[in-house]
Amino acid sequence: MTHLEAIESRAAERYALQQMNAAEAEDFEQHFFTCFECAEEVRWVSMFEANAKKIVGRKVRATEAEFVSMVALSPGKEPVFRVTDHSNKVVFAVTLPGGNWRAKHVSLATGAGTSRFTIAVPQEDVDGDKVHVLMSARELDPGRHVLTLVSEEGDLEEYGFMVVIG
């Protein structure tokens, strides 16, 4: 298997989620043991699946991991998140501002300012310098959204992102 074939067939993802037959897995292994990029992709997908199991709070079968999308939010960046027919959950991994910043509440609003929700941040959803927010992707409308963290001291940090449907 060439590197281009591995990328086009999503081989690293399928390998990590055990969605390959024995012949495909053997062919991919011959490639990824000599390819740093594919080895990193296998490691990343495996970590994502393990984190998804932890965040969702129940055992996630390999095929279910495909239906959980992770969106990394950090200050100053506005990623585009595509909601597909297969996305039923989304985990926002929100990077906290530096220092001793402790998130107390998180809220989500559309770009027009329509509030979607405001919830307290349970400390079990804080992982080092990140807060994980789990929600149904079907609740997201197309367009810009703003996720706002409120600290215990009342400081605000806003994280924008775009939602595209399809």
Side-chain angles (χ1 to χ4, degrees):
M1 177 178 293
T2 68
H3 186 66
L4 183 59
E5 290 170 331
I7 291 170
E8 288 176 347
S9 68
R10 296 179 27 226
E13 178 182 342
R14 293 184 314 112
Y15 180 82
L17 297 174
Q18 299 176 353
Q19 296 176 338
M20 289 182 158
N21 63 38
E24 287 178 307
E26 185 177 325
D27 193 28
F28 178 64
E29 285 170 351
Q30 289 177 5
H31 167 73
F32 101 85
F33 283 125
T34 61
C35 177
F36 177 78
E37 189 175 331
C38 286
E40 277 295 297
E41 182 73 11
V42 168
R43 187 178 71 80
W44 185 89
V45 171
S46 298
M47 286 185 347
F48 174 79
E49 181 185 19
N51 287 333
K53 288 177 186 177
K54 179 177 142 186
I55 292 167
V56 173
R58 62 180 175 84
K59 184 169 173 50
V60 177
R61 294 187 319 260
T63 55
E64 289 177 340
E66 294 178 67
F67 301 108
V68 178
S69 298
M70 179 76 77
V71 179
L73 299 178
S74 56
K77 297 181 181 176
E78 291 205 9
V80 175
F81 172 61
R82 182 172 301 277
V83 176
T84 66
D85 292 338
H86 301 292
S87 296
N88 63 0
K89 299 269 188 242
V90 60
V91 176
F92 292 100
V94 185
T95 301
L96 295 170
N100 195 16
W101 217 90
R102 293 180 47 96
K104 182 177 180 181
H105 291 94
V106 62
S107 63
L108 181 69
T110 65
T114 304
S115 178
R116 289 297 192 170
F117 64 78
T118 298
I119 58 171
V121 175
Q123 287 310 299
E124 61 265 16
D125 290 343
V126 178
D127 182 19
D129 68 339
K130 294 197 183 325
V131 171
H132 295 107
V133 179
L134 173 69
M135 66 176 290
S136 170
R138 290 180 178 88
E139 295 177 31
L140 296 170
D141 296 327
R144 186 170 188 272
H145 291 72
V146 177
L147 191 137
T148 303
L149 289 180
V150 180
S151 75
E152 292 179 347
E153 293 77 29
D155 297 322
L156 300 176
E157 190 70 36
E158 292 186 338
Y159 302 81
F161 61 96
M162 291 292 294
V163 174
V164 177
I165 307 293

